[in-house]
Amino acid sequence: SYELTQPPSVSVSPGQTARITCSGDALPNQYTYWYQQKPGQAPVLVIYKDNERPSGIPERFSGSTSGTTVTLTISGVQAEDEADYYCQSVDSSGPYRVFGGGTKLTVL
Amino acid sequence: EVQLVESGGGLVQPGGSLRLSCAASGFTLRVYEMNWVRQAPGRGLEWVSYSTSSGSAISYADSVKGRFTFSRDNAKNSLYLQMNSLTAEDTAVYYCARESMIAGDAFDYWGQGTLVTVSS
């Protein structure tokens, strides 16, 4: 199976825009999903199929793709958005599921 | 309300075995693909195993292949993960997670997790 690469950390001030990237060779051919995980809690889906937002997820969360890189964008970051974020995709050869290493978002 | 409740975690010695269970409720398990995902202390999420809705096709991460077995009893609304030849590297919180039927392969519901500690 292949790997998904995320930056270990991203820091932004409240109200600014946070961008978290996820890179992988097979991403142009597969959907990407994003999860938010707060300490001691199970992950929560925030973006599916690259750029779709589940019900109940604030509009400030959005997703985009460009070649082998997908990006989770959080506009107008709030203190409550401080969490770990993981991208996930599928390796259809297995079929395997793959997670990125995770990015810790710090709200300064 | 959709619920996934894992159980069976605990302390086990290296080389030992453990069987995790995941009880599903609030939805029809037999039509959903399911997964096990783990998270070592202070580390990221690691996909462990996937099952088609019927259980006819199951895949494993290389790190557990040949040691772990994913099974499901759709009539009992339950999933199982049999873990053998455990090592310290298997210490983690283990989650069962449902794959969405409308959101691609997204994991739309997760259990609260059960902690497995492998130590002598």
Side-chain angles (χ1 to χ4, degrees), chain A residues 1 30-31 33 35 37 40-45 47-49 84 86 88 90 94-102, chain B residues 33 35 37 39 43-47 50 57 59-62 65 95 99 102-108 110-112:
Chain A
S1 61
Q30 295 288 348
Y31 286 124
Y33 309 91
Y35 303 89
Q37 186 182 34
Q41 299 182 18
V44 172
L45 178 69
I47 293 290
Y48 67 94
K49 289 186 177 179
D84 294 324
Y86 296 90
Q88 178 247 318
V90 172
Y96 306 111
R97 276 71 180 132
V98 183
F99 284 98
Chain B
E33 300 167 350
N35 291 264
V37 178
Q39 186 169 36
R43 306 291 296 273
L45 301 174
E46 179 188 14
W47 170 77
Y50 156 88
S59 57
Y60 299 93
D62 289 343
K65 197 174 298 182
Y95 298 97
E99 286 198 15
I102 59 173
D105 301 303
F107 296 3
D108 61 352
W110 298 64
Q112 85 289 348

Side-chain angles (χ1 to χ4, degrees), chain B residues 12-81:
Chain B
V12 60
Q13 292 189 338
S17 298
L18 210 57
R19 188 196 197 204
L20 305 184
S21 300
C22 172
S25 60
F27 67 101
T28 304
L29 180 63
R30 60 179 170 82
V31 302
Y32 283 89
E33 300 167 350
M34 300 294 295
N35 291 264
W36 287 95
V37 178
R38 69 183 180 182
Q39 186 169 36
R43 306 291 296 273
L45 301 174
E46 179 188 14
W47 170 77
V48 172
S49 185
Y50 156 88
S51 168
T52 55
S53 58
S54 65
S56 60
I58 295 174
S59 57
Y60 299 93
D62 289 343
S63 57
V64 306
K65 197 174 298 182
R67 301 187 300 122
F68 288 16
T69 302
F70 185 171
S71 61
R72 59 193 293 165
D73 186 336
N74 289 332
K76 294 184 177 180
N77 293 315
S78 294
L79 309 173
Y80 307 99
L81 187 67

